[in-house]
Amino acid sequence: VNEDIEIDINSTYPMKYVSYQVISRGDLIIANTVQVSNKKTQRIKFPSTADMAPSAHVVVYYIKEDSEVIADDISIDLDGIFQNFVNISINPTEAEPGNMVEMTIQAQSNSHVGLLAVDQSVLLLKSGNDITKNTVFECRRST
């Protein structure tokens, strides 16, 4: 995320233009058409954004003079969904049940922060209580 993506397009026919769309999580993120001037190759470049993570689908197409549509696609996996630094401080770091614990959480404005508190005895008995990177990806896909 936040790096340029470059894709080389090669065709067996000269192209006048190339159109491309970037789709992620069911949303159209980028749509653009580039003039090519009867070349058989073209490089397209666009910035990757957090909206494209964790993966994006790029569809490239052009229409020949006889109206035939020539198209291809590629999937791109992106890292960097977590672009925000979150600082958490806890005082005290260990406490007995029933004691008060103070937590301070600092992050950029409009950040989404998920907290999970699990008693150690529950943690030892059953797994699956963690917030994982996959859990966050699934939540982002559903919004």
Side-chain angles (χ1 to χ4, degrees):
V1 172
N2 292 330
E3 293 182 9
D4 286 336
I5 295 173
E6 293 184 4
I7 298 175
D8 288 327
I9 300 165
N10 297 301
S11 171
T12 55
Y13 300 98
M15 303 173 288
K16 291 184 179 180
Y17 66 90
V18 172
S19 296
Y20 65 94
Q21 298 175 342
V22 180
I23 302 161
S24 182
R25 290 181 266 140
D27 292 331
L28 180 63
I29 308 298
I30 297 173
N32 198 7
T33 300
V34 178
Q35 294 296 117
V36 181
S37 303
N38 287 321
K39 294 190 303 184
K40 292 184 178 181
T41 61
Q42 178 66 35
R43 175 173 287 175
I44 58 174
K45 181 177 176 180
F46 53 89
S48 62
T49 65
D51 291 336
M52 296 177 191
S55 66
H57 200 69
V58 182
V59 179
V60 178
Y61 64 93
Y62 72 98
I63 301 172
K64 291 174 37 182
E65 289 187 14
D66 64 1
S67 298
E68 180 182 0
V69 177
I70 308 296
D72 203 354
D73 66 305
I74 188 171
S75 291
I76 300 171
D77 293 326
L78 294 147
D79 289 326
I81 189 172
F82 304 113
Q83 299 179 355
N84 190 353
F85 178 76
V86 177
N87 185 23
I88 300 173
S89 62
I90 301 171
N91 189 20
T93 57
E94 291 186 20
E96 295 294 322
N99 290 355
M100 295 295 292
V101 176
E102 181 180 309
M103 295 181 86
T104 304
I105 303 168
Q106 296 174 316
Q108 293 176 348
S109 298
N110 299 316
S111 295
H112 295 272
V113 177
L115 297 177
L116 175 68
V118 178
D119 184 77
Q120 187 173 0
S121 62
V122 173
L123 188 60
L124 294 173
L125 292 175
K126 183 181 175 195
S127 63
N129 296 313
D130 296 332
I131 298 174
T132 64
K133 189 176 184 179
N134 228 14
T135 306
V136 174
F137 286 155
E138 291 304 316
C139 287
R140 282 189 60 125
R141 284 185 181 133
S142 65
T143 59

PDB file of all heavy atoms in Angstrom, residues 70-91:
ATOM      1  N   ILE A  70     -10.722  -7.248 -26.639  1.00  0.00           N
ATOM      2  CA  ILE A  70      -9.573  -8.009 -26.170  1.00  0.00           C
ATOM      3  C   ILE A  70      -9.365  -7.620 -24.711  1.00  0.00           C
ATOM      4  O   ILE A  70      -9.224  -6.437 -24.393  1.00  0.00           O
ATOM      5  CB  ILE A  70      -8.299  -7.680 -26.989  1.00  0.00           C
ATOM      6  CG1 ILE A  70      -8.552  -7.824 -28.486  1.00  0.00           C
ATOM      7  CG2 ILE A  70      -7.128  -8.528 -26.504  1.00  0.00           C
ATOM      8  CD1 ILE A  70      -8.892  -9.223 -28.942  1.00  0.00           C
ATOM      9  N   ALA A  71      -9.365  -8.619 -23.820  1.00  0.00           N
ATOM     10  CA  ALA A  71      -9.286  -8.315 -22.387  1.00  0.00           C
ATOM     11  C   ALA A  71      -8.417  -9.333 -21.664  1.00  0.00           C
ATOM     12  O   ALA A  71      -8.246 -10.465 -22.113  1.00  0.00           O
ATOM     13  CB  ALA A  71     -10.681  -8.299 -21.773  1.00  0.00           C
ATOM     14  N   ASP A  72      -7.891  -8.912 -20.541  1.00  0.00           N
ATOM     15  CA  ASP A  72      -7.164  -9.801 -19.652  1.00  0.00           C
ATOM     16  C   ASP A  72      -7.252  -9.213 -18.248  1.00  0.00           C
ATOM     17  O   ASP A  72      -7.661  -8.064 -18.069  1.00  0.00           O
ATOM     18  CB  ASP A  72      -5.706  -9.944 -20.088  1.00  0.00           C
ATOM     19  CG  ASP A  72      -5.071 -11.247 -19.582  1.00  0.00           C
ATOM     20  OD1 ASP A  72      -5.724 -11.984 -18.810  1.00  0.00           O
ATOM     21  OD2 ASP A  72      -3.924 -11.519 -19.959  1.00  0.00           O
ATOM     22  N   ASP A  73      -6.874 -10.015 -17.266  1.00  0.00           N
ATOM     23  CA  ASP A  73      -6.957  -9.550 -15.889  1.00  0.00           C
ATOM     24  C   ASP A  73      -5.839 -10.171 -15.073  1.00  0.00           C
ATOM     25  O   ASP A  73      -5.210 -11.142 -15.480  1.00  0.00           O
ATOM     26  CB  ASP A  73      -8.317  -9.901 -15.283  1.00  0.00           C
ATOM     27  CG  ASP A  73      -8.497 -11.401 -15.136  1.00  0.00           C
ATOM     28  OD1 ASP A  73      -8.349 -12.128 -16.138  1.00  0.00           O
ATOM     29  OD2 ASP A  73      -8.769 -11.856 -14.008  1.00  0.00           O
ATOM     30  N   ILE A  74      -5.618  -9.562 -13.922  1.00  0.00           N
ATOM     31  CA  ILE A  74      -4.606 -10.056 -12.990  1.00  0.00           C
ATOM     32  C   ILE A  74      -5.058  -9.694 -11.574  1.00  0.00           C
ATOM     33  O   ILE A  74      -5.691  -8.655 -11.362  1.00  0.00           O
ATOM     34  CB  ILE A  74      -3.214  -9.457 -13.305  1.00  0.00           C
ATOM     35  CG1 ILE A  74      -2.122 -10.117 -12.467  1.00  0.00           C
ATOM     36  CG2 ILE A  74      -3.206  -7.954 -13.119  1.00  0.00           C
ATOM     37  CD1 ILE A  74      -0.715  -9.731 -12.889  1.00  0.00           C
ATOM     38  N   SER A  75      -4.742 -10.564 -10.629  1.00  0.00           N
ATOM     39  CA  SER A  75      -4.997 -10.271  -9.218  1.00  0.00           C
ATOM     40  C   SER A  75      -3.694  -9.832  -8.564  1.00  0.00           C
ATOM     41  O   SER A  75      -2.633 -10.386  -8.847  1.00  0.00           O
ATOM     42  CB  SER A  75      -5.549 -11.503  -8.496  1.00  0.00           C
ATOM     43  OG  SER A  75      -6.846 -11.789  -8.963  1.00  0.00           O
ATOM     44  N   ILE A  76      -3.800  -8.853  -7.686  1.00  0.00           N
ATOM     45  CA  ILE A  76      -2.628  -8.315  -6.997  1.00  0.00           C
ATOM     46  C   ILE A  76      -2.878  -8.403  -5.500  1.00  0.00           C
ATOM     47  O   ILE A  76      -3.903  -7.931  -5.003  1.00  0.00           O
ATOM     48  CB  ILE A  76      -2.390  -6.844  -7.395  1.00  0.00           C
ATOM     49  CG1 ILE A  76      -2.164  -6.725  -8.898  1.00  0.00           C
ATOM     50  CG2 ILE A  76      -1.226  -6.260  -6.623  1.00  0.00           C
ATOM     51  CD1 ILE A  76      -2.151  -5.302  -9.383  1.00  0.00           C
ATOM     52  N   ASP A  77      -1.939  -9.010  -4.769  1.00  0.00           N
ATOM     53  CA  ASP A  77      -2.018  -9.057  -3.315  1.00  0.00           C
ATOM     54  C   ASP A  77      -1.208  -7.901  -2.750  1.00  0.00           C
ATOM     55  O   ASP A  77      -0.084  -7.643  -3.196  1.00  0.00           O
ATOM     56  CB  ASP A  77      -1.472 -10.383  -2.786  1.00  0.00           C
ATOM     57  CG  ASP A  77      -2.340 -11.565  -3.191  1.00  0.00           C
ATOM     58  OD1 ASP A  77      -3.572 -11.380  -3.265  1.00  0.00           O
ATOM     59  OD2 ASP A  77      -1.791 -12.653  -3.423  1.00  0.00           O
ATOM     60  N   LEU A  78      -1.789  -7.217  -1.770  1.00  0.00           N
ATOM     61  CA  LEU A  78      -1.145  -6.042  -1.188  1.00  0.00           C
ATOM     62  C   LEU A  78      -0.956  -6.219   0.309  1.00  0.00           C
ATOM     63  O   LEU A  78      -1.845  -6.737   0.995  1.00  0.00           O
ATOM     64  CB  LEU A  78      -2.000  -4.794  -1.425  1.00  0.00           C
ATOM     65  CG  LEU A  78      -2.135  -4.390  -2.883  1.00  0.00           C
ATOM     66  CD1 LEU A  78      -3.475  -3.781  -3.157  1.00  0.00           C
ATOM     67  CD2 LEU A  78      -1.041  -3.423  -3.222  1.00  0.00           C
ATOM     68  N   ASP A  79       0.177  -5.774   0.795  1.00  0.00           N
ATOM     69  CA  ASP A  79       0.419  -5.681   2.234  1.00  0.00           C
ATOM     70  C   ASP A  79       0.230  -4.226   2.631  1.00  0.00           C
ATOM     71  O   ASP A  79       0.262  -3.332   1.797  1.00  0.00           O
ATOM     72  CB  ASP A  79       1.851  -6.101   2.574  1.00  0.00           C
ATOM     73  CG  ASP A  79       2.062  -7.598   2.413  1.00  0.00           C
ATOM     74  OD1 ASP A  79       1.105  -8.353   2.676  1.00  0.00           O
ATOM     75  OD2 ASP A  79       3.167  -7.996   2.014  1.00  0.00           O
ATOM     76  N   GLY A  80       0.068  -3.994   3.919  1.00  0.00           N
ATOM     77  CA  GLY A  80       0.012  -2.617   4.389  1.00  0.00           C
ATOM     78  C   GLY A  80      -1.369  -2.153   4.774  1.00  0.00           C
ATOM     79  O   GLY A  80      -1.628  -0.960   4.789  1.00  0.00           O
ATOM     80  N   ILE A  81      -2.284  -3.089   5.076  1.00  0.00           N
ATOM     81  CA  ILE A  81      -3.619  -2.675   5.494  1.00  0.00           C
ATOM     82  C   ILE A  81      -3.540  -1.899   6.807  1.00  0.00           C
ATOM     83  O   ILE A  81      -4.335  -1.011   7.057  1.00  0.00           O
ATOM     84  CB  ILE A  81      -4.561  -3.885   5.608  1.00  0.00           C
ATOM     85  CG1 ILE A  81      -5.991  -3.416   5.836  1.00  0.00           C
ATOM     86  CG2 ILE A  81      -4.121  -4.832   6.691  1.00  0.00           C
ATOM     87  CD1 ILE A  81      -7.014  -4.517   5.766  1.00  0.00           C
ATOM     88  N   PHE A  82      -2.547  -2.232   7.634  1.00  0.00           N
ATOM     89  CA  PHE A  82      -2.381  -1.541   8.911  1.00  0.00           C
ATOM     90  C   PHE A  82      -1.400  -0.390   8.728  1.00  0.00           C
ATOM     91  O   PHE A  82      -0.201  -0.565   8.837  1.00  0.00           O
ATOM     92  CB  PHE A  82      -1.875  -2.505   9.985  1.00  0.00           C
ATOM     93  CG  PHE A  82      -2.747  -3.707  10.157  1.00  0.00           C
ATOM     94  CD1 PHE A  82      -2.304  -4.963   9.813  1.00  0.00           C
ATOM     95  CD2 PHE A  82      -4.030  -3.568  10.645  1.00  0.00           C
ATOM     96  CE1 PHE A  82      -3.109  -6.068   9.962  1.00  0.00           C
ATOM     97  CE2 PHE A  82      -4.847  -4.675  10.807  1.00  0.00           C
ATOM     98  CZ  PHE A  82      -4.391  -5.932  10.464  1.00  0.00           C
ATOM     99  N   GLN A  83      -1.912   0.784   8.449  1.00  0.00           N
ATOM    100  CA  GLN A  83      -1.061   1.945   8.187  1.00  0.00           C
ATOM    101  C   GLN A  83      -0.979   2.875   9.383  1.00  0.00           C
ATOM    102  O   GLN A  83      -0.380   3.923   9.313  1.00  0.00           O
ATOM    103  CB  GLN A  83      -1.610   2.737   7.008  1.00  0.00           C
ATOM    104  CG  GLN A  83      -1.665   1.971   5.746  1.00  0.00           C
ATOM    105  CD  GLN A  83      -2.250   2.809   4.643  1.00  0.00           C
ATOM    106  OE1 GLN A  83      -2.691   3.919   4.844  1.00  0.00           O
ATOM    107  NE2 GLN A  83      -2.251   2.276   3.451  1.00  0.00           N
ATOM    108  N   ASN A  84      -1.606   2.514  10.448  1.00  0.00           N
ATOM    109  CA  ASN A  84      -1.745   3.401  11.575  1.00  0.00           C
ATOM    110  C   ASN A  84      -0.939   2.874  12.756  1.00  0.00           C
ATOM    111  O   ASN A  84      -0.995   1.701  13.083  1.00  0.00           O
ATOM    112  CB  ASN A  84      -3.234   3.478  11.937  1.00  0.00           C
ATOM    113  CG  ASN A  84      -3.534   4.556  12.941  1.00  0.00           C
ATOM    114  OD1 ASN A  84      -2.636   5.181  13.471  1.00  0.00           O
ATOM    115  ND2 ASN A  84      -4.795   4.757  13.209  1.00  0.00           N
ATOM    116  N   PHE A  85      -0.209   3.747  13.384  1.00  0.00           N
ATOM    117  CA  PHE A  85       0.521   3.377  14.588  1.00  0.00           C
ATOM    118  C   PHE A  85      -0.422   3.539  15.772  1.00  0.00           C
ATOM    119  O   PHE A  85      -1.053   4.576  15.943  1.00  0.00           O
ATOM    120  CB  PHE A  85       1.759   4.264  14.760  1.00  0.00           C
ATOM    121  CG  PHE A  85       2.512   3.962  16.012  1.00  0.00           C
ATOM    122  CD1 PHE A  85       3.320   2.842  16.101  1.00  0.00           C
ATOM    123  CD2 PHE A  85       2.403   4.788  17.115  1.00  0.00           C
ATOM    124  CE1 PHE A  85       4.017   2.552  17.265  1.00  0.00           C
ATOM    125  CE2 PHE A  85       3.103   4.506  18.277  1.00  0.00           C
ATOM    126  CZ  PHE A  85       3.903   3.391  18.349  1.00  0.00           C
ATOM    127  N   VAL A  86      -0.534   2.495  16.588  1.00  0.00           N
ATOM    128  CA  VAL A  86      -1.382   2.524  17.778  1.00  0.00           C
ATOM    129  C   VAL A  86      -0.489   2.311  18.993  1.00  0.00           C
ATOM    130  O   VAL A  86       0.309   1.378  19.035  1.00  0.00           O
ATOM    131  CB  VAL A  86      -2.474   1.430  17.722  1.00  0.00           C
ATOM    132  CG1 VAL A  86      -3.308   1.434  18.993  1.00  0.00           C
ATOM    133  CG2 VAL A  86      -3.350   1.615  16.501  1.00  0.00           C
ATOM    134  N   ASN A  87      -0.626   3.184  19.979  1.00  0.00           N
ATOM    135  CA  ASN A  87       0.153   3.072  21.205  1.00  0.00           C
ATOM    136  C   ASN A  87      -0.812   2.742  22.343  1.00  0.00           C
ATOM    137  O   ASN A  87      -1.791   3.459  22.565  1.00  0.00           O
ATOM    138  CB  ASN A  87       0.892   4.378  21.474  1.00  0.00           C
ATOM    139  CG  ASN A  87       1.819   4.272  22.664  1.00  0.00           C
ATOM    140  OD1 ASN A  87       2.251   3.185  23.034  1.00  0.00           O
ATOM    141  ND2 ASN A  87       2.122   5.405  23.269  1.00  0.00           N
ATOM    142  N   ILE A  88      -0.534   1.650  23.053  1.00  0.00           N
ATOM    143  CA  ILE A  88      -1.374   1.230  24.173  1.00  0.00           C
ATOM    144  C   ILE A  88      -0.499   1.117  25.413  1.00  0.00           C
ATOM    145  O   ILE A  88       0.556   0.478  25.387  1.00  0.00           O
ATOM    146  CB  ILE A  88      -2.033  -0.145  23.898  1.00  0.00           C
ATOM    147  CG1 ILE A  88      -2.903  -0.069  22.653  1.00  0.00           C
ATOM    148  CG2 ILE A  88      -2.853  -0.597  25.105  1.00  0.00           C
ATOM    149  CD1 ILE A  88      -3.468  -1.416  22.216  1.00  0.00           C
ATOM    150  N   SER A  89      -0.939   1.747  26.491  1.00  0.00           N
ATOM    151  CA  SER A  89      -0.238   1.579  27.766  1.00  0.00           C
ATOM    152  C   SER A  89      -1.243   1.076  28.802  1.00  0.00           C
ATOM    153  O   SER A  89      -2.402   1.473  28.799  1.00  0.00           O
ATOM    154  CB  SER A  89       0.418   2.890  28.217  1.00  0.00           C
ATOM    155  OG  SER A  89      -0.559   3.886  28.426  1.00  0.00           O
ATOM    156  N   ILE A  90      -0.777   0.172  29.659  1.00  0.00           N
ATOM    157  CA  ILE A  90      -1.622  -0.458  30.666  1.00  0.00           C
ATOM    158  C   ILE A  90      -0.939  -0.300  32.016  1.00  0.00           C
ATOM    159  O   ILE A  90       0.271  -0.552  32.153  1.00  0.00           O
ATOM    160  CB  ILE A  90      -1.831  -1.957  30.357  1.00  0.00           C
ATOM    161  CG1 ILE A  90      -2.469  -2.127  28.990  1.00  0.00           C
ATOM    162  CG2 ILE A  90      -2.683  -2.613  31.437  1.00  0.00           C
ATOM    163  CD1 ILE A  90      -2.512  -3.556  28.502  1.00  0.00           C
ATOM    164  N   ASN A  91      -1.728   0.096  33.028  1.00  0.00           N
ATOM    165  CA  ASN A  91      -1.179   0.267  34.361  1.00  0.00           C
ATOM    166  C   ASN A  91      -2.180  -0.245  35.382  1.00  0.00           C
ATOM    167  O   ASN A  91      -3.298   0.247  35.422  1.00  0.00           O
ATOM    168  CB  ASN A  91      -0.851   1.733  34.612  1.00  0.00           C
ATOM    169  CG  ASN A  91      -0.070   1.927  35.896  1.00  0.00           C
ATOM    170  OD1 ASN A  91       0.535   0.996  36.405  1.00  0.00           O
ATOM    171  ND2 ASN A  91      -0.108   3.147  36.412  1.00  0.00           N
TER     172      ASN A  91
END
